[in-house]
Amino acid sequence: MALQPSLRPLLIAGRPDAPHTLDIFLDYVCPFSGKMAVAIDTVLKPLLDAGGKYDGKVKLIFRNQVQPWHGSSTFTHEAGLAAARIAPEKFWTYSLLLLKRQQEFYDIPTSTLSPIQIRAKLAELATEVGISADEFKDLLTNKSTPNGGVSVTDELKYTIKFSRQNGVHVSPSVLWDGLLVNEVSSSWGSDEWNKFLAEKVTV
């Protein structure tokens, strides 16, 4: 599947030239996405990365799935994209931490916070994986026209448009070689993923 050059860090497992593509759409404040993230880290990455059974055969792309019915969803996805811009090698590390700590950014905990305060919390979280808070905050500051967004707004627009044109509405959602595979569940563990890949990989 397509991935604009500035979003290369969203390829979180496998080789860029792997013939099969697994696109996984996650929302940082979705509990089911949080469960799926654990499977990505403990099951899929070991299978797809160097030395894994499907090394060179399958690549995995993280797809930002903004769900605007959660007020902080947009802010958390801006943060993920900021991490990708500042420290590409730490994008997944930051994303995984954010998904593990997602309850801090749920609707009620953030309901009394301003956008500036939410972004400050996201920048503070970034320091836990070694990303500069100052540089992070700079990317998440409104500073162009009164309605021009932040420095990663263009990347955010791209990810949202990509979801819309592919008919993705909820998280997590999964594409295999560009087609939705509705049987995939956030509750899948090693057995289910190994069976799925054994049936799908043809190279």
Side-chain angles (χ1 to χ4, degrees):
M1 294 296 291
L3 190 64
Q4 71 178 35
S6 67
L7 296 179
R8 176 97 180 249
L10 274 60
L11 199 162
I12 60 172
R15 302 183 191 181
D17 60 350
H20 288 297
T21 303
L22 191 60
D23 293 279
I24 301 185
F25 295 74
L26 302 178
D27 179 19
Y28 288 116
V29 291
C30 165
F32 299 104
S33 291
K35 288 177 64 177
M36 181 75 84
V38 174
I40 290 171
D41 202 54
T42 61
V43 178
L44 290 173
K45 283 180 64 61
L47 286 170
L48 307 187
D49 282 339
K53 182 177 181 179
Y54 297 102
D55 175 20
K57 297 180 179 181
V58 182
K59 59 183 173 291
L60 193 164
I61 299 175
F62 177 107
R63 296 290 185 177
N64 299 79
Q65 180 64 14
V66 178
Q67 298 190 132
W69 48 87
H70 296 304
S72 66
S73 181
T74 295
F75 300 123
T76 57
H77 285 284
E78 286 177 346
L81 295 168
R85 172 92 65 93
I86 299 167
E89 74 286 356
K90 295 179 179 178
F91 167 74
W92 174 243
T93 305
Y94 178 75
S95 291
L96 188 61
L97 178 62
L98 181 50
L99 284 155
K100 287 179 177 177
R101 300 265 294 274
Q102 62 181 198
Q103 291 187 18
E104 298 174 30
F105 299 94
Y106 280 2
D107 296 347
I108 291 176
T110 59
S111 63
T112 60
L113 301 178
S114 71
I116 291 173
Q117 289 172 317
I118 295 170
R119 287 168 171 151
K121 282 177 62 72
L122 291 161
E124 183 180 339
L125 193 68
T127 65
E128 296 185 27
V129 298
I131 298 176
S132 163
D134 289 341
E135 195 171 356
F136 204 89
K137 287 178 182 176
D138 183 60
L139 287 185
L140 299 182
T141 298
N142 291 291
K143 55 191 174 187
S144 57
T145 62
N147 204 31
V150 298
S151 294
V152 295
T153 295
D154 285 344
E155 286 95 331
L156 186 71
K157 289 178 180 178
Y158 173 89
T159 65
I160 293 169
K161 290 174 183 177
F162 186 86
S163 293
R164 288 176 177 174
Q165 78 167 14
N166 285 287
V168 176
H169 301 290
V170 297
S171 68
S173 289
V174 177
L175 305 185
W176 175 261
D177 289 343
L179 298 179
L180 279 166
V181 280
N182 292 317
E183 68 266 29
V184 176
S185 168
S186 62
S187 64
W188 277 16
S190 179
D191 291 346
E192 293 87 355
W193 276 114
N194 273 285
K195 182 175 184 292
F196 175 87
L197 291 169
E199 292 173 352
K200 295 289 187 181
V201 175
T202 59
V203 291

